[in-house]
């Protein structure tokens, strides 16, 4: 496999070696700082505004009782959920786009977000379930949809364009099911479902933080462990197999990880659209590095979502929009640009 000319080999204890791209590393650090800065600014934003210096002082444990309550109990959980949801969607999108070798291979296009929405709607409309049950329903819906796409796309293995085409078909079917469920809901449940389907961080607390943090802590090391195999898969199944990569096993593990990340993010904040589609592409354009750019995509997703949530509160004033509306508008424009670019390049 050809090594990127800017990458450098770094040896670590135990005889292992890593290849680092200075530009990619710089981009990751800057994106991480941008995500944290946007998070601090978001904590200070709201009806009771708190200066950034006071936010930092309160996070360090030196604020007064009023600031401590606002920051630690009300706003910090929301920001952490935003960072984790954005990171999960960015990483999940990078995995799907790399496995499918297609920039359109994101959870939004493949129908996973719609599947998680269907699971949540079943709980809301048919069971009038609690918030915890809605979260569980969304997680189950995403997993079932991911399994269905994988099985339908299987034909002596799962290949990129077949996966995307099957995902688009499943997405259309599940979207129709979601519309049917809304027509069968009473007014109260329908209003509740529509609010959830918009995608929002409002009202998020520590109950959403810990499960998502635990899942990310487990899946991130697993995904990075298979990063080398994923990069080889981008060269084609035959080439990867010839280099000793167990193609179908690596693909299955990474797809399951991506489905879990997407479903958990959707369960925590609703179907926040287009972050999984745009974050990996923007990260790749910034790093100018080949391969899946997993860590850069993760940081880009976190920065995008928290910045969009900050913009939804500051730009629109009293008419604050849910973060899903902001990402939908920006992501929709990006999707149109991407389609035009791919068409001009003759890839679609």
């Amino acid at each position: 496999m050809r090594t990127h000319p800017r990458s450098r080999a770094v040896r670590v204890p135990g005889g292992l070696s890593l290849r680092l791209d200075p530009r990619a590393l710089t981009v990751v650090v800057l994106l991480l700082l941008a995500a944290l800065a946007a998070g601090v600014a978001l904590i200070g934003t709201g009806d009771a505004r708190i200066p950034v210096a006071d936010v930092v002082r309160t996070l360090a444990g030196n604020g007064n009782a009023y600031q401590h309550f606002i920051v630690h109990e009300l706003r910090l959980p929301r920001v952490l959920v935003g960072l984790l949801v954005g990171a999960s969607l960015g990483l999940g999108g990078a995995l799907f786009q790399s496995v499918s070798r297609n920039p359109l291979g994101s959870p939004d296009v493949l129908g996973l977000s719609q599947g998680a929405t269907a699971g949540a709607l079943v709980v809301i409309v048919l069971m009038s379930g609690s918030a915890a049950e809605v979260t569980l329903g969304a997680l189950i819906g995403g997993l079932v949809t991911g399994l269905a796409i994988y099985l339908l796309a299987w034909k002596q293995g799962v290949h990129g364009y077949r996966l995307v085409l099957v995902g688009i078909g499943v997405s259309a079917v599940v979207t129709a099911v979601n519309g049917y469920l809304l027509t069968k809901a009473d007014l109260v449940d329908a209003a509740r479902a529509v609010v959830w389907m918009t995608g929002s961080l409002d009202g998020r607390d520590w109950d959403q933080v810990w499960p998502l943090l635990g899942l990310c802590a487990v899946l991130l090391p697993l995904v990075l462990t298979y990063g080398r195999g994923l990069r080889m898969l981008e060269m084609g199944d035959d080439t990867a197999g010839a280099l000793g990569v167990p193609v179908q096993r690596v693909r299955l593990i990474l797809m399951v990880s991506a489905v879990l990340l997407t479903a958990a993010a959707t369960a925590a904040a609703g179907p926040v659209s287009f972050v999984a589609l745009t974050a990996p592409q923007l990260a790749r354009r910034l790093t100018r590095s080949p391969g899946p750019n997993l860590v850069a995509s993760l940081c880009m997703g976190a920065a995008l979502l928290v910045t969009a949530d900050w913009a939804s509160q500051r730009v629109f004033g009293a008419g604050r929009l849910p973060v899903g509306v902001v990402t939908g508008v920006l992501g929709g424009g990006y999707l149109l640009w991407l389609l035009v670019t791919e068409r001009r390049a003759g890839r679609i």
Side-chain angles (χ1 to χ4, degrees):
M1 182 174 62
R2 188 168 61 91
T3 302
H4 197 269
R6 292 192 307 269
S7 62
R8 299 175 182 175
V10 177
R11 294 198 173 275
V12 297
L16 300 177
S17 64
L18 300 174
R19 291 199 174 273
L20 297 179
D21 182 339
R23 180 187 176 93
L25 182 61
T26 301
V27 168
V28 166
V29 172
L30 292 177
L31 286 174
L32 184 59
L33 292 175
L36 295 177
V40 171
L42 181 57
I43 290 175
T45 301
D47 294 333
R49 294 192 177 182
I50 303 176
V52 171
D54 290 341
V55 171
V56 174
R57 186 164 52 250
T58 303
L59 289 173
N62 297 320
N64 58 44
Y66 170 76
Q67 293 171 337
H68 183 276
F69 175 76
I70 294 294
V71 170
H72 288 275
E73 300 300 326
L74 298 182
R75 296 181 182 172
L76 180 59
R78 174 194 178 111
V79 170
L80 291 177
V81 170
L83 290 170
L84 291 170
V85 167
S88 299
L89 291 175
L91 181 57
L95 289 172
F96 273 116
Q97 290 179 20
S98 184
V99 167
S100 64
R101 299 196 294 276
N102 190 317
L104 297 177
S106 80
D108 306 290
V109 178
L110 296 180
L112 293 174
S113 298
Q114 292 84 347
T117 300
L121 286 179
V122 167
V123 175
I124 294 173
V125 173
L126 302 182
M127 303 169 58
S128 297
S130 64
E133 291 170 338
V134 171
T135 299
L136 181 60
L139 187 60
I140 293 174
L143 292 174
V144 170
T145 304
L147 178 62
I149 293 172
Y150 187 84
L151 293 177
L152 290 172
W154 177 272
K155 184 179 180 182
Q156 297 178 343
V158 175
H159 302 283
Y161 279 99
R162 188 188 306 137
L163 180 69
V164 173
L165 291 174
V166 170
I168 291 173
V170 170
S171 175
V173 172
V174 177
T175 300
V177 171
N178 293 343
Y180 171 78
L181 289 172
L182 283 176
T183 63
K184 292 300 181 181
D186 59 38
L187 186 59
V188 174
D189 287 340
R192 181 185 173 197
V194 169
V195 170
W196 188 89
M197 290 171 62
T198 304
S200 175
L201 297 176
D202 291 345
R204 298 308 184 263
D205 56 27
W206 293 105
D207 290 338
Q208 284 82 38
V209 172
W210 299 121
L212 195 53
L213 181 61
L215 183 69
C216 291
V218 172
L219 291 182
L220 180 58
L222 176 66
V223 168
L224 294 180
T225 299
Y226 284 91
R228 180 174 177 272
L230 179 62
R231 186 166 180 171
M232 291 182 177
L233 283 179
E234 291 188 339
M235 299 187 297
D237 291 0
D238 294 337
T239 302
L243 292 172
V245 176
V247 173
Q248 296 305 327
R249 187 181 74 186
V250 170
R251 181 178 283 125
L252 177 61
I253 290 174
L254 293 177
M255 285 187 63
V256 169
S257 299
V259 169
L260 285 171
L261 288 166
T262 303
T266 304
V272 180
S273 57
F274 289 114
V275 173
L277 174 69
T278 57
Q281 293 299 312
L282 293 176
R284 180 170 293 186
R285 282 165 171 75
L286 287 177
T287 63
R288 298 179 186 175
S289 177
N293 287 281
L294 297 178
V295 178
S297 299
L298 179 152
C299 295
M300 176 62 77
L304 279 177
L305 188 56
V306 176
T307 302
D309 194 39
W310 176 86
S312 72
Q313 297 189 50
R314 293 298 297 269
V315 175
F316 299 98
R320 291 184 299 179
L321 296 178
V323 67
V325 175
V326 178
T327 60
V329 171
L330 298 177
Y334 176 81
L335 176 59
L336 292 175
W337 175 84
L338 180 62
L339 290 172
V340 171
T341 302
E342 293 291 302
R343 185 170 181 266
R344 287 178 177 174
R347 289 189 285 266
I348 60 174

